[in-house]
Amino acid sequence: MLVLNCSTKLLILEKMLKSCFPESLKVYGAVMNINRGNPFQKEVVLDSWPDFKAVITRRQREAETDNLDYYTNAYAVFYKDVRAYRQLLEECDVFNWNQVFQIQGLQSELYDVSKAVANSKQLNVKLTSFKAVHLSPVSTLPDTSFLKGPFPRLTYLTVAEADLLNRTWSRGGNEQCLRYIANLIACFPSVCVRDEKGNPVSWSITDQFATICHGYTLPEHRRKGYSRLVALTLARKLQSRGFPSQGNVLDDNTASIGLLKSLHAEFLPCRFHRLILTPVTSGLPHL
C-alpha cells in the first residue's frame, strides 16, 4: 500500500484517471477535489506508483469520524486489475472495518470481490446499483422559455437549509445524513430555486465525488420546469470549474430518467455501484 500525498503526483494521477473514463469517474472526481483544496479531507491509496493497478480514495485517518456515518466514511475505487484491488482490500489498514462505511465504483466485479472479503471480516454488505449518466457540455445559460409561471429566483443553498434536504432525501432522516448534507453544501456547488418568500422549492447538490445528487422539487412545485433549470445550471457550474457533470439514477425512477433523456444526457455503458458495509457486531440493522 502506498499513500500518495505529493501534490505533483496527485495532479499527474488526475490526468491518468481522465484517460480511463468512464470507469474511473468516481475516483477522478474525488481526486479533483483533493487537488482543489481537499475540503472533505480525503487521501489516495494505491498499490504502486506510477504504474498502479488499483487506486482508492478514502477519508484521511487523522480526520474526525463517526463510526456510524457511512455517508462520510466513503471510499471510491478504480482498478485496472481486480486482483490488485482485492489485495488492497485484504491489507489490514486500507479500510476501517470497525465502522459502517460505503464503497463506490463503476466496475462490475466490485460487489463480488468486496463482499467476499467483507464476509470474511464479518460485515454485512448491501448493494444498490444505478444507471450512470453524464451530461453534455452546457455552454450557455439554460433556456428558460420552458418554465411555467414567473421566472424564479435561482441561487445556491445555505447550510441552514440542510434540515430540509435531510427530510426530503430518500437516504436521509438521521443525524449523520444531516451533518453530511451540511458539509456538502458548505464545500461543493449547489443550485436551488426559491419561491417569493425565499424558501427553496427545487434543488440539487454535489457530493464528495463531484457527483450531482439529491435532485428534488417539492411536490406542489413540480411540472413547472424547475428540475430542468436546476440540473442544467448545476452542470454548467461544474463544467465551468473543469469538473465532469456526472450523476446516477435508479432504474425505476422514471421521472428522473425522462428528465435526463430530455437533457440529452449520456447513459454510460457501465453501472454505478454503491455498497454499504456494516459490521455484524455494530448492533445496527443491515442498512
Side-chain angles (χ1 to χ4, degrees):
M1 178 193 78
L2 171 67
V3 178
L4 195 68
N5 49 28
C6 169
S7 58
T8 300
K9 292 178 180 179
L10 285 166
L11 287 169
I12 294 171
L13 175 63
E14 182 181 317
K15 294 179 180 179
M16 295 168 74
L17 290 168
K18 192 171 185 177
S19 68
C20 300
F21 282 1
E23 289 85 357
S24 64
L25 266 171
K26 297 299 174 183
V27 173
Y28 177 77
V31 171
M32 283 196 75
N33 282 327
I34 292 172
N35 288 336
R36 286 152 184 81
N38 200 11
F40 236 69
Q41 297 178 275
K42 293 280 190 177
E43 63 184 11
V44 174
V45 176
L46 309 97
D47 63 316
S48 59
W49 178 262
D51 298 320
F52 70 88
K53 295 180 181 178
V55 55
I56 296 169
T57 63
R58 68 181 187 186
R59 186 86 161 162
Q60 289 177 337
R61 285 297 186 253
E62 61 269 25
E64 183 178 346
T65 59
D66 174 351
N67 284 340
L68 301 182
D69 180 8
Y70 74 87
Y71 305 93
T72 303
N73 303 331
Y75 300 73
V77 172
F78 169 69
Y79 50 80
K80 298 176 181 178
D81 185 337
V82 70
R83 292 170 296 183
Y85 168 55
R86 178 159 189 151
Q87 288 175 356
L88 286 177
L89 267 175
E90 291 174 337
E91 288 194 28
C92 62
D93 56 351
V94 175
F95 290 79
N96 185 346
W97 299 97
N98 296 315
Q99 58 183 200
V100 186
F101 65 94
Q102 63 172 294
I103 299 174
Q104 295 194 7
L106 292 157
Q107 292 170 282
S108 57
E109 304 101 331
L110 185 67
Y111 173 68
D112 288 339
V113 173
S114 302
K115 181 172 173 54
V117 176
N119 284 347
S120 70
K121 297 180 180 292
Q122 294 190 305
L123 277 81
N124 292 319
V125 182
K126 178 185 178 182
L127 168 68
T128 309
S129 183
F130 304 74
K131 293 179 183 293
V133 296
H134 181 262
L135 286 170
S136 302
V138 183
S139 57
T140 60
L141 288 171
D143 176 19
T144 57
S145 62
F146 57 82
L147 292 174
K148 298 178 182 177
F151 186 78
R153 180 186 170 203
L154 192 62
T155 180
Y156 52 85
L157 292 160
T158 68
V159 171
E161 290 151 347
D163 183 62
L164 172 63
L165 274 68
N166 186 36
R167 288 186 279 111
T168 52
W169 200 6
S170 59
R171 295 174 55 203
N174 58 72
E175 177 185 344
Q176 287 81 15
C177 187
L178 175 62
R179 184 170 59 244
Y180 176 65
I181 290 173
N183 287 336
L184 293 183
I185 293 172
C187 294
F188 304 121
S190 65
V191 171
C192 79
V193 170
R194 297 184 183 275
D195 63 16
E196 62 279 1
K197 295 181 180 179
N199 299 313
V201 299
S202 181
W203 59 80
S204 192
I205 59 178
T206 312
D207 74 6
Q208 56 190 306
F209 306 109
T211 305
I212 296 173
C213 65
H214 193 9
Y216 189 86
T217 301
L218 296 176
E220 61 271 27
H221 291 276
R222 292 174 184 171
R223 290 180 288 279
K224 295 180 180 179
Y226 291 166
S227 294
R228 180 184 180 89
L229 178 61
V230 165
L232 287 172
T233 304
L234 185 52
R236 185 172 184 265
K237 183 180 288 190
L238 288 169
Q239 291 165 5
S240 70
R241 301 181 184 190
F243 286 84
S245 47
Q246 56 168 317
N248 319 300
V249 60
L250 289 167
D251 294 79
D252 59 358
N253 191 342
T254 54
S256 292
I257 291 172
L259 171 64
L260 289 164
K261 287 181 177 179
S262 76
L263 299 177
H264 306 291
E266 176 189 5
F267 288 82
L268 301 176
C270 50
R271 291 182 64 82
F272 165 57
H273 306 290
R274 185 182 71 229
L275 286 58
I276 299 177
L277 296 89
T278 308
V280 175
T281 55
S282 70
L284 291 173
H286 187 179
L287 295 173

